[in-house]
Each structure stands twice: as C-alpha cells, then as structure tokens.
Amino acid sequence: MAETSQKALQQQILIDDSNIPDWLLTEILQRLPVKHIFKFKCVSKRWFILISDPFFARLYSTRINTSLSTSQPWNLLFRYLYEVRIVPSSMIDTRIALKQSQDFSSPGLSLNFLPYSKHDCPIKILASSNGLLLCCETFYWQKNYYICNPLIQQWIALPKPPKAIKSVAVGFICKDGHYEVIRFPTANYGPSNTLRLETFSSETGKWHCSIVNCPVLDYYIKTDSPVVHYNGSLHWLEFRHSKIITYDPHNGTNTGLRLMNLPDDKQSEHLSLLGVSRGRFRYFEVTDTCFGPRDLRVWVLSDYDAQRWCLEYRIKFSGSWIDEVNEFIPKDNFYIFPLALHPHEFDIVYLGYGGCLVSYNLGTRKLDVVHRNFYSHQLLAFVFSPWPTTIPQPFW
C-alpha cells in the first residue's frame, strides 16, 4: 500500500505543474541543454506550446549569446569514413582519451536517422551552415542530397540534380529559413572560359542551371578542404594555380566565379586548408612534412577587399614538442597534415600526426592526443546554432 502511494505521489510530482506560472516554467526550461528541450516537448501539451513558441526560441538564443560562456557548442565531424563518427567538443576540451573507435560516437548525436546511413557505405558530410549539414550518399557522381539537423534529427531529401557530373565542388548556405546548394565541376580543362553552375533554392524547390564566367581555363578544386562561407561568399581552395575560387550566390550570375590570392609566402601545395576562427578568415598549412624542417603556418586575412594576409604563426615542429609528448609520439619520422582550425580559439589547431588526431596550442606549443589510430584527412568543424535550425517542409 505504501509503495502504491509513493508511486502515485511520484507521478503527481512529475505531471502536476499547474501551480507553476508560465513565466517561471519558461525560465526553468531555457536553462536546459537544447538537445533535451526538444525531447521535453512530449511531456505535456503545455510544455509543447511553450517550447514551440517563437518567443521561447528568441529568449533562448539571447540567453546563450549573452551568457558568460565564451562560445557556442561545436563538434569535429568526420566527413568521409566507413562509419559516421563524431568527436564531441566536450571530449576535446577536457582531453578525454578515447580508447576505442566506437567511443568516437557522441551519444544522441549521429546521422543514423538518414535513410542511406543503413547501407554499407555511409553518408558523406559535404558542408555545414547555421546548424545544418549538407550530406550525400557518394563522393563521386553525387545525385542524392540530404539536408539535416543532427541535433533534432530532422532531414529532407532534395530533388536530384539535372545532370550527372563525376566530381563537383559543393557549397551550402542557410540563412533566414532559406537555403541554397551550389555545385559545379571540380576541374575545367578548357577551352571555354565559362562553366555550368547548378543552384538549388528552397524558395523554388528546383535546380537552376546557369552559365557563368570562369577565371581560369584549367582550375582544379581541392576537395579535401571543406568549402568555407565567409563575407557572403563561398570559398574553395584551388590547387593548380594556388588560389582561392570564390562565388557570391547573390551576384554570381553576373560576376561568375572569382579568384582570390593566397599568402605570397605560402609554400604547401597539398597540406593546407581554409577556415574561420572567431569570425576571422584564416589559411592553415604544414610544409616540408617528409624531409627537412617541418613548419606550421597560420595566416589571417586582415583586409578582404585588398586580399591582404598577415602571418600569425610560424612554428618549426622539430623544436616545439614538449618532453611528455615525445614519450609516445616520435617527432621526426611521421607524416603531419592539417585537419581543422578551432572555431572559437585562435591558438588551437588540429593535426594528423603519427597515426593520431592531436590538438596543438600555437601559443603554449603544447600538443595533446585526442585519439589514437587515426588516419582520416577529412574533418569539418561544425558549430551548432544557439537555437536548432528547423528545416521547412518541402513543397516539391
């Protein structure tokens, strides 16, 4: 009898919130992790209405942006692997040693909800924007694209592009509830100085094809470096001419693709990437990794219009490792390659080194192992939006 009364009391405590005014319940709910808030919509009709109200989303975002925390949550995502693996930022920030490959998954955050993830070859992550991911089933001959929010496990499939192309450079922009996907061939061997560019718009629900100007006849896009959206334009590293190819979706049909200069004193042709840290556009490279001195260099774009770069860091690896690291990673005979820039910390970069994923502090010269037995060259720094971006239901 006592046990029955205790269960009834517990149910009453869990369910009866009638004495709590809406303003107080809102104050409580907005202090919960965003991943849990969406689950709590199912608690009651009242909670569903409060959490679904646009006012709640604005209030939550404002609190996050003005809180004492220095940055929004983010993750390192593996773009092309045989398994979908995500390294949570909490694990990186606390330097938790990941002992097994299955421990790389972040509980409650995966891409297993996408239809193609059940197949032998998993989803490929192509780009991110405003808390959403653009994914595809394959790397070559891409035709089935998905846009998803991994936090709330919402997704849609896009219509198939009008033309089959073996290899494409892809861009993705999501803003104000509207999104666009841009794609064009990764290489052009002439003789024409124009190319076919395809754009999908959520406003029309269709792919639009246009012929745009191409700045060089024989460009080649570096596909292992993620596309970067900055200053209203998309940016891809170009390999053959050591440039950046940019495209402005709002004015691209008039201007076409454009070339942007990289730092004059850059050296690496292969081991480099673009990224954004705390709102600054940066270029990151590792030089001479097989023989001779191994330099790590990071530039920041100080003037976008003038294309003026400023060298922030130049570090020779041979003399920078601390003794503790040398106990388990030899410093002289391993391949080193850049993987990602920390989106919130200027001083931290991520490298592949000695079969490990490592974080490296450019200021303190301290290296930490994030994960061993790591050989992927494909990482994406994914920053969550303060409030989960919902995907409008397709009308096509």
Side-chain angles (χ1 to χ4, degrees):
M1 185 68 177
E3 182 178 353
T4 304
S5 300
Q6 184 177 4
K7 289 183 178 179
L9 179 60
Q10 289 177 347
Q11 292 179 353
Q12 183 178 5
I13 292 174
L14 290 173
I15 296 174
D16 188 8
D17 59 6
S18 58
N19 294 327
I20 303 176
D22 284 351
W23 70 266
L24 181 56
L25 184 57
T26 299
E27 287 292 323
I28 296 172
L29 291 175
Q30 69 167 314
R31 283 163 172 75
L32 299 175
V34 68
K35 182 170 67 174
H36 296 152
I37 288 178
F38 274 74
K39 295 180 181 179
F40 291 153
K41 279 186 174 184
C42 302
V43 170
S44 67
K45 182 178 180 180
R46 182 190 181 193
W47 286 34
F48 179 86
I49 293 173
L50 284 176
I51 297 172
S52 301
D53 193 323
F55 172 75
F56 185 90
R58 292 194 299 270
L59 193 66
Y60 192 94
S61 300
T62 301
R63 188 186 64 82
I64 292 295
N65 291 331
T66 58
S67 66
L68 296 178
S69 60
T70 58
S71 59
Q72 296 172 221
W74 72 284
N75 286 60
L76 280 178
L77 274 59
F78 291 75
R79 301 175 64 205
Y80 312 129
L81 278 185
Y82 290 103
E83 297 178 15
V84 178
R85 300 172 183 172
I86 300 178
V87 186
S89 59
S90 59
M91 289 185 178
I92 293 175
D93 292 340
T94 57
R95 303 296 188 267
I96 295 177
L98 304 176
K99 298 179 181 180
Q100 301 177 6
S101 60
Q102 58 263 33
D103 291 336
F104 247 59
S105 297
S106 174
L109 183 62
S110 73
L111 299 180
N112 293 332
F113 59 90
L114 292 177
Y116 200 77
S117 63
K118 306 297 189 297
H119 296 210
D120 293 336
C121 187
I123 288 291
K124 310 296 186 290
I125 300 174
L126 303 180
S128 67
S129 180
N130 196 26
L132 299 182
L133 295 175
L134 174 67
C135 306
C136 189
E137 298 175 354
T138 58
F139 182 71
Y140 293 107
W141 301 108
Q142 296 174 4
K143 60 179 181 179
N144 295 321
Y145 291 102
Y146 303 96
I147 293 176
C148 70
N149 186 323
L151 189 63
I152 59 177
Q153 298 191 359
Q154 183 190 15
W155 66 275
I156 61 168
L158 301 186
K160 293 181 179 180
K163 185 178 180 179
I165 304 174
K166 181 179 180 180
S167 180
V168 290
V170 180
F172 176 47
I173 297 177
C174 174
K175 186 177 181 181
D176 300 328
H178 166 66
Y179 53 86
E180 289 183 316
V181 176
I182 295 94
R183 64 178 226 153
F184 60 92
T186 55
N188 181 34
Y189 301 102
S192 173
N193 63 345
T194 61
L195 59 81
R196 175 190 175 101
L197 185 141
E198 299 172 343
T199 302
F200 177 84
S201 171
S202 61
E203 291 184 337
T204 64
K206 298 179 181 179
W207 287 93
H208 172 73
C209 301
S210 56
I211 304 299
V212 299
N213 292 326
C214 180
V216 287
L217 295 179
D218 56 345
Y219 74 85
Y220 187 84
I221 298 293
K222 191 174 185 291
T223 55
D224 59 348
S225 178
V227 60
V228 176
H229 180 215
Y230 181 78
N231 199 37
S233 295
L234 296 165
H235 302 76
W236 297 267
L237 271 179
E238 194 276 332
F239 171 73
R240 188 165 285 125
H241 300 274
S242 296
K243 301 285 186 179
I244 301 173
I245 288 184
T246 72
Y247 180 74
D248 181 357
H250 301 291
N251 199 32
T253 55
N254 297 324
T255 61
L257 302 180
R258 290 185 171 182
L259 282 183
M260 184 175 180
N261 293 326
L262 285 168
D264 293 334
D265 50 346
K266 69 173 291 296
Q267 293 185 12
S268 178
E269 298 296 335
H270 303 277
L271 304 178
S272 58
L273 57 85
L274 300 172
V276 177
S277 296
R278 298 180 67 178
R280 303 295 299 277
F281 193 64
R282 305 173 89 193
Y283 175 73
F284 173 27
E285 74 171 19
V286 174
T287 62
D288 300 325
T289 57
C290 295
F291 304 99
R294 305 173 185 183
D295 287 2
L296 182 156
R297 302 183 183 188
V298 179
W299 288 262
V300 63
L301 189 63
S302 58
D303 190 321
Y304 187 89
D305 294 331
Q307 302 181 24
R308 186 177 299 114
W309 294 90
C310 177
L311 181 64
E312 287 185 298
Y313 295 99
R314 180 180 179 180
I315 297 171
K316 290 187 179 298
F317 281 127
S318 58
S320 64
W321 302 138
I322 61 174
D323 293 337
E324 289 82 352
V325 173
N326 294 335
E327 293 180 2
F328 52 84
I329 302 183
K331 68 180 181 180
D332 294 325
N333 301 315
F334 277 113
Y335 186 62
I336 306 170
F337 50 93
L339 287 172
L341 294 163
H342 196 298
H344 305 309
E345 301 293 338
F346 278 127
D347 293 342
I348 299 178
V349 298
Y350 296 92
L351 302 161
Y353 178 59
C356 298
L357 167 63
V358 301
S359 66
Y360 185 68
N361 190 306
L362 300 167
T364 64
R365 310 294 175 89
K366 180 175 173 56
L367 179 146
D368 290 319
V369 175
V370 177
H371 186 67
R372 299 176 185 274
N373 301 319
F374 173 85
Y375 299 97
S376 174
H377 287 229
Q378 307 288 340
L379 285 183
L380 176 71
F382 176 56
V383 180
F384 294 94
S385 58
W387 182 255
T389 304
T390 56
I391 307 170
Q393 290 301 308
F395 58 85
W396 52 84

